[in-house]
Structures are given as structure tokens and as C-alpha cells.
Amino acid sequence: NKWRIVLPDNGRQWKDQNQVSTFYSGNKIKTTKYTWFTFLPQNLFEQFHRLGNVYFFLLLVLNWFPQVEVFHREITMLPLIVVLLASMVKDAVEDYRKHQFDKTINFSKTRVYDK
């Protein structure tokens, strides 16, 4: 377990404060799920944990075999693509709103009480 050390602001422990502050992260709030680089792979990973999406993906794969083909290949892709795109847009908007709210909270003014 890591213990957090809180040092009083009396001027004596400034050298200790610099050493301790590099060990701990800041107190910024971050509630977002994704970054620019992880959005697509992480979102697709989460989407395919849903049974309905896996079912439509299996239908899409089966439809690529001529012996099993029931519909045109493009028509089979349509439901899965629409559902995935709608979910991605919803998740992106939701994550962006979280990011904006976190930014507002992190840059708000606070009061620091001192002796």
C-alpha cells in the first residue's frame, strides 16, 4: 500500500514536498473511458461483448460462403454496421461530454485554507 503524505505549508518542508509530489499523481478528475488512440479498438471490443452483435457478425461470416448464402453480402452487413456506428457515435458524444465536464471541474477555482 502506498501512503499519501500531507505536508503542512509552514515553509520548512519544501525540499520534502518536491520529492513526495513526484511520487503521487495529481488530483485531476478523469472520468473518460477513451483516448484518441484507444477509441476504435476499445469500443469494438466492448461492442462485441454484446450477444446481438456477435450474432449479426456470425451471420455476416456465414453469408460469405456461397453454400450458405441466403441474402446478398452487403445486405447482411447493413444491420451490424448501422448498430455499431450508432453505438460508437453515442459513446463518442458521451465521452466528449464527460471530458468537457472534467475540464470544467479541473479548472475551477478552489479555496485553500491556511493557518
Side-chain angles (χ1 to χ4, degrees):
N1 289 334
K2 294 181 181 178
W3 292 90
R4 184 170 182 153
I5 301 171
V6 178
L7 301 172
D9 187 18
N10 60 7
R12 290 187 302 196
Q13 286 110 349
W14 280 105
K15 60 181 177 178
D16 296 335
Q17 189 264 344
N18 289 334
Q19 180 184 7
V20 170
S21 65
T22 58
F23 185 70
Y24 294 102
S25 61
N27 59 352
K28 287 185 178 180
I29 295 173
K30 183 179 180 250
T31 58
T32 56
K33 234 189 236 187
Y34 309 107
T35 64
W36 287 104
F37 302 113
T38 64
F39 177 76
L40 188 64
Q42 191 173 357
N43 193 286
L44 285 175
F45 181 75
E46 288 179 12
Q47 292 298 324
F48 282 108
H49 271 89
R50 297 185 180 137
L51 191 57
N53 293 343
V54 173
Y55 171 75
F56 281 112
F57 182 72
L58 290 176
L59 283 179
L60 186 134
V61 170
L62 280 175
N63 215 20
W64 280 92
F65 296 108
Q67 299 87 357
V68 187
E69 182 178 2
V70 177
F71 302 111
H72 293 290
R73 294 177 185 142
E74 297 80 17
I75 293 175
T76 310
M77 281 194 259
L78 193 61
L80 182 63
I81 290 173
V82 167
V83 168
L84 288 178
L85 284 177
S87 297
M88 280 185 183
V89 168
K90 179 193 69 81
D91 288 343
V93 168
E94 185 178 294
D95 210 50
Y96 179 73
R97 286 183 182 159
K98 284 181 182 181
H99 174 71
Q100 291 297 329
F101 184 70
D102 292 346
K103 196 172 170 182
T104 303
I105 295 295
N106 287 330
F107 288 114
S108 63
K109 289 188 176 188
T110 58
R111 281 190 184 172
V112 177
Y113 291 100
D114 193 10
K115 293 193 234 176

